[in-house]
Amino acid sequence: MLKSKTFLKKTRAGGVMKIVREHYLRDDIGCGAAGCTACGGAHEGPALEPQPQDLASSLCPQPHYLLPDTNVLLHQIDVLEDPAIRNVIVLQTVLQEVRNRSAPVYKRIRDVTNNQEKHFYTFTNEHHRETYVEQEKGENANDRNDRAIRVAAKWYNEHLKKMSTDNQLQVIFITNDRKNKEKAVEEGIPAFTCEEYIKSLTANPELIDRLACLSEEGNEIESGKIIFSEHLPLSKLQQGIKSGTYLQGTFRASRENYLEATVWIHGDNEENKEIILQGLKHLNRAIHEDIVAVELLPKSQWVAPSSVVLHDEGQNEDDVEKEEEREQMLKTAVSEKMLKPTGRVVGIIKRNWRPYCGMLSKSDIKESRRHLFTPADKRIPRIRIETRQASTLEGRRIIVAIDGWPRNSRYPNGHFVKNLGDVGEKETETEVLLLEHDVPHQPFSQAVLSFLPKMPWSITEKDMKNREDLRHLCICSVDPPGCTDIDDALHCRELENGNLEVGVHIADVSHFIRPGNALDQESARRGTTVYLCEKRIDMVPELLSSNLCSLKCDVDRLAFSCIWEMNHSAEILKTKFTKSVINSKASLTYAEAQLRIDSANIRDDITTSLRGLNKLAKILKKRRIEKGALTLSSPEVRFHMDSETHDPIDLQTKELRETNSMVEEFMLLANISVAKKIHEEFSEHALLRKHPAPPPSNYEILVKAARSRNLEIKTDTAKSLAESLDQAESPTFPYLNTLLRILATRCMMQAVYFCSGMDNDFHHYGLASPIYTHFTSPIRRYADVIVHRLLAVAIGADCTYPELTDKHKLADICKNLNYRHKMAQYAQRASVAFHTQLFFKSKGLVSEEAYILFVRKNAIVVLIPKYGLEGTVFFEEKDKPNPRLIYDDEIPSLKIEDTVFHVFDKVKVKIMLDSSNLQHQKLRMSLVEPQIPGISLPPDDISNMNLNGPEKKKMKLEK
Amino acid sequence: MASVALSEAEKVYIMHGVQEDLRVDGRGCEDYRCVEVETDVVSNTSGSARVKLGHTDILVGVKAEMGTPKLEKPNEGYLEFFVDCSANATPDFEGRGGDDLGTEIANTLYRIFNNKSSVDLKTLCISPREHCWVLYVDVLLLECDGNLFDAISIAVKAALFNTRIPRVRVLEDEEGSKDIELSDDPYDCIRLSVENVPCIVTLCKIGCRHVVDATLQEEACSLASLLVSVTSKGVVTCLRKVGKGSLDPESIFEMMETSKRVGKVLHASLQSILHKEESLGPKRQKVGFLG
């Protein structure tokens, strides 16, 4: 049956449009219940269980399905996601409303409906002949939708009754709207509010905690006075922003001081880029990352950023007076010059709330169900949640979502979402660091997995099209030990004309990941594989990463080959790119490969090939360094893991062999060759990687530090920097060169991906190459997949698709990749830091030699080469009188009492685990040598120090 | 204009019949052919109507759009007419062939609506000097079988009767900037009063008598005709003579009297049929173009 739906819409230009849509009503839409004879096979795979038994509700003892309305879905999605809640009917009306109002919730509900275990069924009531309703006179769109939901609920109940007479199956309508509920009850539909229903589930009391607490109007008014001023409505904010009375920007809370924040103003005008907000009332309930509108305060009220470190510690949340006192503390007298534009938040344009990881701070009152939650991120305010399981949650990492922040509440209200596990547990901490760094780490969905090739997989005739058979070549791979995702393999052989043929063979991932499908989208979203100390978060499913794409030895694998013809002085005579089939003859580790090259009596094909490669690599490297490529250093450590417990038992700094640099040289060569090729072919939309030259000011610290050792570092070009770094040796201090290189690394800019059509500076500073890209690791980097596709199109081995040649889409991909790479790096570092902590926890107290890397006003940053560990030694402590500190910015040096510290000075420090803050455990370092009375620890005392609690430590220090 | 070729003998036959108050199809001189009216035939317009008069077939759509009032009338909306002569009607209209006729009809429509009483244009104003409703009246000629003007004017009136304009409110805040808010309820709309919308009665001078609602054949026999736009109360709002022949003042007076008389009846029956149709409500089975 055909109906036409007519509705009016306001256009952006302010006009009114009448839109007519055809709307089809059908009578073959199934109800979704398994075993329903009336709807028969009208739908595939019934979603609802025929006899839902698991939910024991005291309100509704008989089996039933749930039918929530829009607001329940929007606000209580956390509860609905719980595995205990099953057999839910999601109406199309509801789904559409959710979609219009919140995209993230919509995505979550789609994920839930796709999960077969949950038995969620989407009923297309709008297209069902008996449940479609038309908007009536005097009824607004909301009323109509409510009615449509009720009609559908009623239809379901009648429909299920028809199914069989003895069937007591019911559909329960869940709504938090009082009027709607009353109407439903009038119409004979069993209806409850979400809270009533969840509370009646006697078997699952933990669900109550996950209920979002919605402040019902009237409910909260009596509880205390209003602290915050009202947020202006969006329409007013927009007008204000247009007229310039308000400014729009991203709210960034301060890590150090919970009463202070800055707002980064969007827009181009240089002045007023950053606005300071100070004091609770001016922050006005904005939370880190929100998009807010701020109003500038008159100049007389401007403040300077305070240098005070303040952490929100008050347990009694309603001490507003005390807050004001604290705010006064911030306003210390400062010179006029220091004053910065200051403002206050007048409204929120967009909330950017996400679920936060953190810990529960249990309320002092024993029976209390309201507790404060302290997020791991210090920029997020504490959140008040209501839970009955406070004692079980204590000492655990939990996730909490914010529901709202009423005007009369000191803290935002939230609800408990998930228990991650005990603090300090490896799995828990790993989960936390993945969540906090926004690393997508869920198992791959069915949709993604469905695009994997079917096993057993073999190379077919079709695959061989446009592909060269290189199986006869003696190809091998060289990787770190334990590597299962081998994306590159090499070969080298002498040609009849005396030249050498060198081939780099890269796993042909783009053969398996076809553009646009779910697998491609998921890998594009993940962007990169994340390597943590004991875990790998794959970018592509394991079948591909560790099997089909991994260039393992003695199996046929698809590859993308880059083959050069070179003479013996490593000059490229010819370059060829081709898709190929290879059969690797050996998977070697760096050590094994090195051993083969070094042992003179091995003369097989593989070894000859390796020797040839090694010889060429040395020439290539030399040439690269002549051009000004930098050899930088960063202390890298590897953990030796206990094979059973996966606890780190020893640390080891990474060893570098000739073979490491051999592989690296050829990868660089391949990347550069490919970059040239794709840029030649697609000058507007090649995906490249650049490394901008750092501004000269970045080097200041390096130059100064070197000068203090009577060395000169030239930084005008990369080449002079490389040369002066090479010459900066001290016969008495062999580690100095490494230290300088570590410092130089810190001066560098971040390398980034970009689309060639959107930029004109392609230079890669660190590698001294005019053009560069990533081609050699498609298993673990999505950028390489795109580069593979571009190259495949360039050589005519694959077809193109529209998105590939859209430079804006490509720029978006680059943006995401850069973000994911940065986050992956942070996550990696956090993982190393956590394992270092675990290591020192088991090791107890150690005192080690260290070198000073930086000198700060009240601290020194030291590096312990043995562990590649960096830490800060503070000279000011809370409970102790401050020592006399004289800081000289020029040298730079720090004089404490009578001892002067310079950069690169050798000191001895003691490392210990500071667990005073359970959530932010960290390694603490204290000075042992040189001895400064009252500051350093006496070295002989170390053995009997007890570090289990901060209390005891303090006592020791006071002695 | 569409025309038929008639022989002298046929013309004489028609003229003699008219003289005896008996026309070829059996009507008297003041009789209209059967008129079919249906409204709300095009769903994506604000109002529409289709009128069939003999084989003359007219479709009118009214589209309400927001615009700015004219400078000289800051608190009134306005109407725009456009007539499209479809080549379906006659091959003569192909290309730009129908343009002249279209412009002529549109101009006539402008003239009959160019007075304060026809439509209350003030109801079309949203906010003076800033926003008003503009009603675009689009006329489509589907088939011509004489008496185009009358059929078009009936269709326009029916379409205006059917027009529903969404109700909007102007929200004004302290700063003086205005925002237009659209009502959530699609049934919440303004209707125009068509009480005083005139209809055209065309009188064709055939011999020494005049006929209303001339067919194509009768028009071929006539040298001059008079368009009189009459309201339901019998007030003449506009008068226009077409054709190359001349009319003597006395017969013009006679023709006006006839048009008033015929017009009143026409209005009354149109009004009653429109109300009757509306009373059927939205459940009414639509005939549209398949009927």
Side-chain angles (χ1 to χ4, degrees):
Chain A
M1 189 166 124
L2 178 67
K3 277 250 172 206
S4 75
K5 250 195 339 195
T6 308
F7 52 96
L8 292 162
K9 210 176 124 184
K10 218 173 97 175
T11 60
R12 209 172 284 175
V16 173
M17 256 206 327
K18 186 174 176 184
I19 293 165
V20 181
R21 292 258 182 282
E22 283 183 348
H23 190 89
Y24 294 86
L25 297 185
R26 346 185 6 153
D27 40 21
D28 58 348
I29 296 171
C31 67
C36 172
T37 43
C39 316
H43 50 91
E44 309 161 9
L48 300 164
E49 289 175 298
Q51 288 293 323
Q53 233 103 43
D54 48 340
L55 284 173
S57 166
S58 57
L59 280 171
C60 179
Q62 64 265 56
H64 54 267
Y65 301 140
L66 299 179
L67 195 149
D69 78 351
T70 314
N71 280 323
V72 171
L73 219 56
L74 275 175
H75 300 304
Q76 308 293 3
I77 179 79
D78 283 329
V79 180
L80 295 173
E81 274 178 345
D82 192 281
I85 303 283
R86 284 158 39 185
N87 294 304
V88 173
I89 299 158
V90 183
L91 296 182
Q92 188 193 9
T93 318
V94 172
L95 207 57
Q96 272 167 357
E97 276 192 290
V98 168
R99 186 181 185 168
N100 291 338
R101 285 168 60 182
S102 164
V105 175
Y106 178 72
K107 175 155 192 316
R108 285 166 77 182
I109 199 73
R110 294 301 325 204
D111 287 346
V112 174
T113 42
N114 287 338
N115 181 353
Q116 303 210 334
E117 316 255 286
K118 291 280 286 169
H119 296 288
F120 272 47
Y121 180 67
T122 319
F123 180 60
T124 38
N125 64 318
E126 295 284 353
H127 291 279
H128 193 285
R129 195 172 214 161
E130 285 163 63
T131 54
Y132 174 73
V133 298
E134 256 176 294
Q135 191 163 1
E136 278 172 4
K137 212 167 172 170
E139 196 179 44
N140 64 24
N142 269 336
D143 293 342
R144 189 221 134 216
N145 286 346
D146 284 345
R147 191 160 58 89
I149 295 168
R150 288 198 305 273
V151 166
K154 196 169 178 178
W155 177 85
Y156 251 107
N157 273 322
E158 279 163 12
H159 179 79
L160 292 176
K161 229 172 259 167
K162 258 188 271 168
M163 212 159 106
S164 65
T165 40
D166 56 327
N167 201 338
Q168 291 190 327
L169 209 52
Q170 264 193 334
V171 168
I172 294 182
F173 179 44
I174 306 284
T175 177
N176 284 341
D177 183 336
R178 200 154 27 85
K179 273 190 209 145
N180 202 2
K181 191 185 146 197
E182 276 167 18
K183 274 189 195 161
V185 172
E186 255 172 53
E187 288 167 29
I189 307 162
F192 302 110
T193 67
C194 195
E195 253 179 285
E196 281 171 351
Y197 180 76
I198 296 293
K199 281 185 181 158
S200 78
L201 298 177
T202 41
N204 299 74
E206 77 282 355
L207 284 179
I208 298 170
D209 290 349
R210 304 185 61 168
L211 274 175
C213 42
L214 295 169
S215 57
E216 274 176 53
E217 327 91 54
N219 199 2
E220 301 247 341
I221 285 171
E222 82 272 15
S223 71
K225 61 181 180 186
I226 282 162
I227 306 172
F228 299 103
S229 53
E230 205 164 350
H231 287 154
L232 297 176
L234 195 60
S235 57
K236 270 192 187 163
L237 293 179
Q238 277 163 346
Q239 277 160 14
I241 289 163
K242 232 186 250 169
S243 64
T245 37
Y246 304 141
L247 295 162
Q248 177 177 346
T250 313
F251 183 89
R252 284 161 194 249
S254 152
R255 260 179 230 276
E256 257 87 56
N257 186 335
Y258 75 99
L259 290 175
E260 206 172 83
T262 50
V263 171
W264 280 86
I265 301 306
H266 306 179
D268 307 321
N269 58 332
E270 282 301 307
E271 46 182 353
N272 296 344
K273 263 266 159 163
E274 204 186 43
I275 293 175
I276 292 187
L277 311 173
Q278 218 172 55
L280 268 189
K281 281 179 192 164
H282 288 173
L283 299 181
N284 201 357
R285 294 171 284 159
I287 290 171
H288 185 64
E289 297 274 275
D290 284 351
I291 311 282
V292 297
V294 286
E295 181 186 42
L296 269 183
L297 294 175
K299 268 206 172 132
S300 56
Q301 291 179 36
W302 283 15
V303 295
S306 72
S307 48
V308 192
V309 176
L310 265 185
H311 290 297
D312 191 1
E313 272 150 7
Q315 176 64 252
N316 188 359
E317 55 235 50
D318 299 320
D319 258 356
V320 185
E321 283 79 12
K322 217 171 172 183
E323 298 297 343
E324 277 161 13
E325 237 169 75
R326 282 184 147 191
E327 278 166 31
Q328 282 306 317
M329 219 168 97
L330 301 178
K331 286 168 190 146
T332 41
V334 274
S335 65
E336 200 91 339
K337 251 193 281 169
M338 301 276 284
L339 294 179
K340 290 257 172 72
T342 308
R344 67 182 191 95
V345 172
V346 289
I348 309 283
I349 291 160
K350 189 172 174 277
R351 288 286 193 191
N352 265 329
W353 291 343
R354 59 181 174 95
Y356 300 102
C357 296
M359 286 177 70
L360 197 70
S361 326
K362 221 174 126 189
S363 167
D364 293 338
I365 309 154
K366 243 192 187 158
E367 299 304 311
S368 171
R369 277 198 273 139
R370 287 190 164 192
H371 303 276
L372 279 180
F373 160 84
T374 314
D377 190 339
K378 282 182 188 156
R379 292 170 295 194
I380 308 298
R382 306 215 277 173
I383 302 164
R384 191 194 295 120
I385 62 168
E386 206 165 304
T387 177
R388 295 176 183 195
Q389 23 173 0
S391 37
T392 35
L393 293 182
E394 207 182 7
R396 305 237 175 167
R397 295 271 190 183
I398 58 172
I399 297 182
V400 158
I402 301 183
D403 298 323
W405 197 338
R407 287 174 64 197
N408 52 7
S409 164
R410 166 73 179 76
Y411 296 109
N413 291 330
H415 65 272
F416 165 74
V417 177
K418 198 175 167 193
N419 183 349
L420 295 175
D422 284 326
V423 166
E425 282 285 313
K426 256 193 310 291
E427 282 90 69
T428 317
E429 297 297 329
T430 307
E431 180 82 16
V432 168
L433 75 90
L434 289 175
L435 283 171
E436 285 296 306
H437 291 101
D438 194 14
V439 176
H441 61 284
Q442 300 81 5
F444 289 97
S445 70
Q446 277 305 321
V448 171
L449 295 176
S450 71
F451 287 98
L452 290 178
K454 300 280 169 292
M455 291 304 279
W457 174 86
S458 63
I459 297 167
T460 60
E461 275 298 304
K462 221 171 105 200
D463 297 336
M464 289 304 291
K465 213 179 133 205
N466 293 327
R467 218 172 260 284
E468 218 168 297
D469 192 347
L470 301 177
R471 278 177 283 202
H472 58 281
L473 291 176
C474 182
I475 294 168
C476 66
S477 64
V478 184
D479 284 284
C483 176
T484 57
D485 49 349
I486 305 170
D487 29 30
D488 50 80
L490 300 156
H491 88 272
C492 172
R493 63 169 179 175
E494 199 150 335
L495 295 174
E496 279 165 12
N497 59 9
N499 286 337
L500 291 170
E501 183 193 77
V502 178
V504 167
H505 311 275
I506 307 298
D508 190 6
V509 179
S510 63
H511 176 83
F512 297 100
I513 302 183
R514 302 311 298 168
N517 67 25
L519 176 59
D520 181 47
Q521 282 167 1
E522 181 63 21
S523 344
R525 191 170 76 93
R526 296 190 176 212
T528 173
T529 295
V530 182
Y531 294 88
L532 303 181
C533 287
E534 83 297 0
K535 204 175 170 180
R536 186 177 85 196
I537 316 293
D538 277 325
M539 179 183 85
V540 294
E542 204 184 346
L543 179 66
L544 290 183
S545 69
S546 305
N547 189 356
L548 297 186
C549 285
S550 181
L551 304 176
K552 296 190 288 187
C553 58
D554 302 324
V555 279
D556 290 352
R557 286 286 174 257
L558 299 180
F560 209 139
S561 301
C562 175
I563 298 167
W564 299 281
E565 190 179 327
M566 289 184 180
N567 58 19
H568 285 269
S569 49
E571 276 153 0
I572 299 171
L573 304 171
K574 233 197 252 166
T575 310
K576 188 175 89 178
F577 303 101
T578 178
K579 291 222 173 189
S580 60
V581 184
I582 61 161
N583 190 321
S584 168
K585 300 289 177 288
S587 303
L588 305 173
T589 64
Y590 290 119
E592 281 166 7
Q594 191 67 51
L595 208 66
R596 277 173 181 253
I597 293 172
D598 294 346
S599 7
N601 51 351
I602 306 180
R603 279 201 197 84
D604 56 20
D605 278 352
I606 296 171
T607 315
T608 331
S609 173
L610 284 171
R611 286 195 187 119
L613 288 167
N614 198 27
K615 202 183 86 195
L616 290 171
K618 280 183 189 162
I619 306 171
L620 286 170
K621 184 168 189 184
K622 192 164 152 257
R623 196 181 300 151
R624 206 162 53 82
I625 287 169
E626 271 165 17
K627 269 198 228 155
L630 297 171
T631 320
L632 298 171
S633 178
S634 58
E636 269 194 80
V637 287
R638 274 185 93 84
F639 287 95
H640 276 293
M641 299 283 187
D642 189 307
S643 53
E644 298 268 301
T645 60
H646 294 288
D647 278 331
I649 42 179
D650 201 4
L651 280 155
Q652 173 198 15
T653 40
K654 219 178 189 173
E655 248 184 284
L656 285 177
R657 293 189 180 81
E658 254 181 14
T659 41
N660 287 56
S661 103
M662 173 188 91
V663 174
E664 192 191 336
E665 266 335 298
F666 284 106
M667 293 307 129
L668 291 177
L669 195 64
N671 284 338
I672 294 169
S673 297
V674 171
K676 278 181 194 155
K677 176 77 181 172
I678 58 171
H679 182 247
E680 203 177 277
E681 204 75 26
F682 305 101
S683 60
E684 282 293 295
H685 37 256
L687 191 152
L688 302 175
R689 188 167 173 84
K690 67 170 174 180
H691 182 212
S697 59
N698 275 23
Y699 285 122
E700 242 167 62
I701 195 153
L702 174 69
V703 175
K704 274 186 195 167
R707 201 180 294 141
S708 72
R709 294 274 154 184
N710 294 322
L711 292 169
E712 199 193 351
I713 300 285
K714 290 195 200 105
T715 59
D716 39 343
T717 63
K719 190 167 161 52
S720 62
L721 175 66
E723 276 167 5
S724 51
L725 276 175
D726 285 342
Q727 286 156 9
E729 297 268 5
S730 158
T732 53
F733 189 4
Y735 198 63
L736 179 67
N737 193 270
T738 315
L739 282 173
L740 281 170
R741 287 185 197 277
I742 291 171
L743 267 192
T745 315
R746 307 286 163 94
C747 304
M748 293 298 152
M749 307 281 283
Q750 187 83 38
V752 288
Y753 296 110
F754 69 103
C755 166
S756 62
M758 310 288 271
D759 208 330
N760 40 29
D761 172 29
F762 295 179
H763 195 73
H764 198 291
Y765 180 79
L767 296 171
S769 169
I771 192 164
Y772 192 67
T773 192
H774 270 165
F775 168 73
T776 52
S777 300
I779 301 180
R780 59 186 177 89
R781 289 187 306 230
Y782 188 74
D784 302 49
V785 176
I786 296 280
V787 170
H788 273 228
R789 287 181 188 159
L790 286 167
L791 186 64
V793 174
I795 62 168
D798 206 344
C799 46
T800 182
Y801 59 101
E803 283 79 17
L804 192 66
T805 49
D806 182 334
K807 61 180 178 180
H808 296 283
K809 288 248 167 64
L810 208 55
D812 287 344
I813 291 176
C814 290
K815 208 172 131 197
N816 181 45
L817 290 178
N818 289 329
Y819 169 74
R820 293 290 178 199
H821 275 266
K822 197 172 73 191
M823 281 318 193
Q825 251 174 24
Y826 290 163
Q828 249 148 296
R829 272 183 223 163
S831 173
V832 170
F834 172 67
H835 280 83
T836 317
Q837 279 171 25
L838 279 186
F839 174 68
F840 282 104
K841 198 172 174 183
S842 59
K843 203 161 165 98
L845 223 69
V846 273
S847 138
E848 285 296 340
E849 275 183 4
Y851 296 100
I852 298 178
L853 267 188
F854 301 105
V855 177
R856 301 254 188 261
K857 266 180 191 159
N858 60 350
I860 52 171
V861 180
V862 296
L863 176 82
I864 303 163
K866 187 174 170 192
Y867 303 120
L869 178 68
E870 202 180 308
T872 312
V873 180
F874 288 101
F875 295 116
E876 276 171 339
E877 273 180 70
K878 257 193 222 159
D879 320 310
K880 287 193 350 181
N882 285 349
R884 200 156 40 85
L885 298 173
I886 301 161
Y887 174 69
D888 187 344
D889 187 41
E890 276 309 301
I891 310 206
S893 72
L894 180 68
K895 191 174 177 188
I896 305 155
E897 303 289 334
D898 296 317
T899 318
V900 184
F901 290 97
H902 288 108
V903 176
F904 304 143
D905 279 357
K906 194 170 176 180
V907 292
K908 206 163 191 182
V909 293
K910 187 168 60 67
I911 309 157
M912 54 196 171
L913 192 66
D914 181 357
S915 354
S916 55
N917 183 343
L918 210 52
Q919 189 155 192
H920 297 279
Q921 294 195 356
K922 58 187 173 210
L923 289 175
R924 237 165 91 115
M925 301 199 182
S926 320
L927 197 62
V928 179
E929 258 178 37
Q931 276 290 317
I932 305 171
I935 290 170
S936 318
L937 293 169
D940 52 327
D941 240 17
I942 292 168
S943 50
N944 40 23
M945 284 274 296
N946 190 338
L947 282 163
N948 290 344
E951 254 51 57
K952 287 179 182 162
K953 189 169 66 206
K954 257 183 235 153
M955 273 166 53
K956 206 82 193 170
L957 290 168
E958 274 154 16
K959 199 162 73 174
Chain B
M1 186 168 322
S3 56
V4 282
L6 284 185
S7 65
E8 261 332 288
E10 280 173 305
K11 281 187 184 171
V12 170
Y13 177 73
I14 291 169
M15 277 161 77
H16 284 180
V18 169
Q19 210 63 46
E20 302 298 324
D21 198 16
L22 183 67
R23 293 157 70 176
V24 178
D25 46 14
R27 287 183 287 161
C29 282
E30 291 179 16
D31 291 338
Y32 262 90
R33 284 171 286 178
C34 179
V35 187
E36 283 175 38
V37 181
E38 188 183 9
T39 61
D40 203 12
V41 284
V42 187
S43 58
N44 52 1
T45 57
S46 309
S48 59
R50 186 180 182 215
V51 167
K52 281 178 100 173
L53 181 60
H55 285 293
T56 301
D57 198 346
I58 309 291
L59 179 67
V60 172
V62 178
K63 207 149 172 70
E65 270 178 37
M66 264 202 267
T68 36
K70 288 181 173 165
L71 279 176
E72 65 273 20
K73 287 168 184 163
N75 45 8
E76 283 182 14
Y78 56 95
L79 279 76
E80 292 279 6
F81 296 95
F82 180 78
V83 183
D84 183 18
C85 304
S86 161
N88 276 358
T90 144
D92 297 348
F93 291 159
E94 217 174 291
R96 306 189 62 95
D99 282 7
D100 289 345
L101 176 66
T103 322
E104 189 196 338
I105 298 171
N107 286 338
T108 313
L109 286 170
Y110 276 118
R111 275 184 60 192
I112 67 169
F113 279 93
N114 186 21
N115 63 68
K116 283 208 175 67
S117 59
S118 295
V119 182
D120 185 10
L121 293 172
K122 288 205 173 81
T123 55
L124 294 178
C125 180
I126 301 165
S127 65
R129 274 185 300 279
E130 272 165 4
H131 298 290
C132 70
W133 287 111
V134 182
L135 298 183
Y136 291 95
V137 182
D138 295 317
V139 180
L140 182 62
L141 259 64
L142 296 170
E143 220 178 318
C144 297
D145 185 27
N147 203 14
L148 275 182
F149 287 90
D150 292 22
I152 287 169
S153 72
I154 294 168
V156 167
K157 179 165 177 165
L160 287 174
F161 174 81
N162 179 237
T163 299
R164 282 161 177 81
I165 303 163
R167 200 181 293 278
V168 293
R169 273 185 303 162
V170 180
L171 301 174
E172 196 173 345
D173 56 17
E174 307 92 86
E175 275 102 54
S177 61
K178 285 170 185 171
D179 198 22
I180 281 168
E181 196 197 58
L182 185 64
S183 167
D184 203 13
D185 180 6
Y187 293 92
D188 185 18
C189 44
I190 318 171
R191 307 257 327 242
L192 285 174
S193 159
V194 291
E195 185 72 14
N196 291 324
V197 173
C199 277
I200 299 173
V201 178
T202 310
L203 297 140
C204 278
K205 186 87 180 162
I206 296 178
C208 51
R209 289 193 72 149
H210 48 258
V211 297
V212 299
D213 187 21
T215 62
L216 219 47
Q217 287 83 2
E218 286 166 335
E219 274 173 3
C221 304
S222 159
L223 285 177
S225 47
L226 193 67
L227 305 183
V228 188
S229 80
V230 206
T231 70
S232 54
K233 295 190 184 76
V235 179
V236 176
T237 64
C238 168
L239 203 63
R240 195 173 154 231
K241 200 219 92 183
V242 282
K244 47 188 183 257
S246 55
L247 296 168
D248 75 276
E250 195 144 330
S251 67
I252 290 180
F253 183 75
E254 236 174 71
M255 285 160 106
M256 275 168 70
E257 285 305 310
T258 317
S259 66
K260 280 190 212 167
R261 198 166 53 241
V262 177
K264 270 188 196 167
V265 181
L266 182 66
H267 272 293
S269 50
L270 178 63
Q271 204 73 268
S272 77
I273 203 83
L274 287 175
H275 283 294
K276 198 170 155 198
E277 189 190 25
E278 196 180 52
S279 66
L280 292 172
K283 299 273 179 319
R284 168 177 72 91
Q285 197 66 44
K286 279 175 189 171
V287 180
F289 292 88
L290 299 172

